[in-house]
Amino acid sequence: MTPPLLNVIDLKKHFPVRAGLFGAVREHVKAVDGVSFSIDSGKTLGLVGESGCGKTTVGRALLRLIAPTSGKVEFEGTDILKLGRRELREKRRRMQIVFQDPYGSLNPRMTIQQILGEALEVHGLASGNDLRAEVARLLSQVGLRPEVMNRYPHEFSGGQRQRIGIARALALQPAFIVCDEPTSALDVSIRAQIINLLQDLQAARGLSYLMISHDLGVVRHISDAVAVMYLGKIVEQAPTEALYENPRHPYTQILLSAIPVPNPRQRAVRAQQAKPLDADDAVPSPINIPSGCPFHPRCPLYVAQGQPAECRTKLPDLVALNSDPAHLLRCHFAAG
């Protein structure tokens, strides 16, 4: 059996909260608290959840853009969290990221040629005319004319800037790309173009993606499997169609019930399947996470089961369903 390209094991990132005159650590924000998943070569894992659940922190921690608190990130068989600076620099050629903001992620004082050519020069892959030719090739691959390489980022639309961001991620011939909300700042019509571009590049280059997104429609379209996060933990993970057609965790059901549906009859059926959260039912603070199952204060199943003590006192494990070993669930009762 071929090992996965990326294997994340019990990844944690706790941010210290300091207070007082000397800045003593009083508590921690558990942004990512024991996340595990794997991604095979040429496949896409979607990572979804409400704002503040830890999705972006996962993506940045596994690339070591921020230092994880603990865990393992095995990429191509190597734990990158144990690599020194020189070894990490070489491995990062194979792991790249497309940022959410197409406006803030590009240096406004650099031309497109300088932006795309910087990594090539740093790694000694091209210079002079060869660099210019490589930049032209990258721009053509993402649907932009090579002549634009002498322009500055402010001369482009949001969709064009995101294409430039994708070209920058492709410059070093990566095998894996973290796509951190790559379409959330774009118009709906442009989103489809960017998603189609990512799929075409994946097919042509055999790329693997971690697709972080709020847009559940985008995630369903591009992902082979989906993981749902809540307060730093994965609460459900399954192949895409299995999760969308038969969500088992109450939180996943609520998220999917929020997807716009044009058919009124389908909306009525879905409304019966999942009780929506109240408008004032806010996500608990990641500093003071509820005991037991973190979702129990908001969970309609917890209420329907008569508010059992088990939900308040015991954190459920992420276990596979008997009916589908690929479908993982963190709930005391939804697996039944």
Side-chain angles (χ1 to χ4, degrees), residues 6 37 39 43-48 55-60 62-63 65 95-101 162 165-167 169-170 174-184 194-199 201-202 207-215 218-219 222-223:
L6 178 74
F37 59 82
I39 302 177
K43 301 296 182 180
T44 299
L45 175 68
L47 193 60
V48 303
K55 305 185 301 296
T56 292
T57 305
V58 168
R60 297 190 179 215
L62 63 87
L63 295 179
L65 296 180
M95 306 174 73
Q96 294 293 312
I97 184 169
V98 176
F99 293 100
Q100 175 180 357
D101 184 4
Q162 197 60 292
I166 293 171
L170 295 174
F176 170 68
I177 299 178
V178 174
C179 300
D180 185 11
E181 300 273 9
T183 62
S184 64
I194 296 300
I195 291 302
N196 289 338
L197 172 62
L198 290 171
Q199 288 185 306
L201 291 170
Q202 184 176 46
L207 294 168
S208 299
Y209 295 137
L210 176 64
M211 175 60 66
I212 300 169
S213 181
H214 287 92
D215 192 329
V218 165
V219 170
I222 197 172
S223 301

Side-chain angles (χ1 to χ4, degrees), residues 154-172:
H154 73 271
E155 301 180 63
F156 297 88
S157 67
Q160 290 173 326
R161 292 189 195 198
Q162 197 60 292
R163 289 176 183 268
I164 294 168
I166 293 171
R168 179 175 58 184
L170 295 174
L172 297 180

Side-chain angles (χ1 to χ4, degrees), residues 30-148:
K30 296 180 179 179
V32 179
D33 196 25
V35 166
S36 300
F37 59 82
S38 61
I39 302 177
D40 291 330
S41 181
K43 301 296 182 180
T44 299
L45 175 68
L47 193 60
V48 303
E50 293 172 284
S51 295
C53 72
K55 305 185 301 296
T56 292
T57 305
V58 168
R60 297 190 179 215
L62 63 87
L63 295 179
R64 281 184 62 177
L65 296 180
I66 56 176
T69 302
S70 64
K72 286 185 177 182
V73 179
E74 297 175 345
F75 177 69
E76 296 181 327
T78 301
D79 185 357
I80 69 166
L81 302 187
K82 295 181 179 180
L83 297 181
R85 180 177 299 180
R86 180 176 298 178
E87 294 83 1
L88 178 61
R89 178 181 174 182
E90 290 300 315
K91 187 61 70 173
R92 273 182 171 162
R93 291 176 56 178
R94 304 278 291 162
M95 306 174 73
Q96 294 293 312
I97 184 169
V98 176
F99 293 100
Q100 175 180 357
D101 184 4
Y103 296 90
S105 62
L106 302 179
N107 190 331
R109 299 187 179 186
M110 297 174 68
T111 66
I112 303 309
Q113 178 177 332
Q114 291 171 329
I115 290 172
L116 299 185
E118 184 178 28
L120 297 171
E121 289 182 313
V122 168
H123 287 272
L125 299 179
S127 62
N129 291 333
D130 290 341
L131 185 145
R132 187 176 179 86
E134 180 63 17
V135 170
R137 187 182 68 83
L138 288 169
L139 288 171
S140 297
Q141 284 190 335
V142 298
L144 295 174
R145 292 180 291 109
E147 306 91 80
V148 305

Side-chain angles (χ1 to χ4, degrees), residues 189-253:
S189 59
I190 305 302
R191 292 180 188 179
Q193 296 177 20
I194 296 300
I195 291 302
N196 289 338
L197 172 62
L198 290 171
Q199 288 185 306
D200 291 343
L201 291 170
Q202 184 176 46
R205 291 172 169 249
L207 294 168
S208 299
Y209 295 137
L210 176 64
M211 175 60 66
I212 300 169
S213 181
H214 287 92
D215 192 329
L216 297 172
V218 165
V219 170
R220 183 173 190 174
H221 183 70
I222 197 172
S223 301
D224 298 288
V226 179
V228 182
M229 282 192 70
Y230 184 77
L231 285 178
K233 296 182 181 296
I234 291 177
V235 297
E236 186 167 9
Q237 182 175 336
T240 301
E241 289 308 310
L243 186 134
Y244 277 78
E245 295 298 328
N246 186 28
R248 302 296 293 269
H249 197 282
Y251 180 61
T252 307
Q253 294 171 359

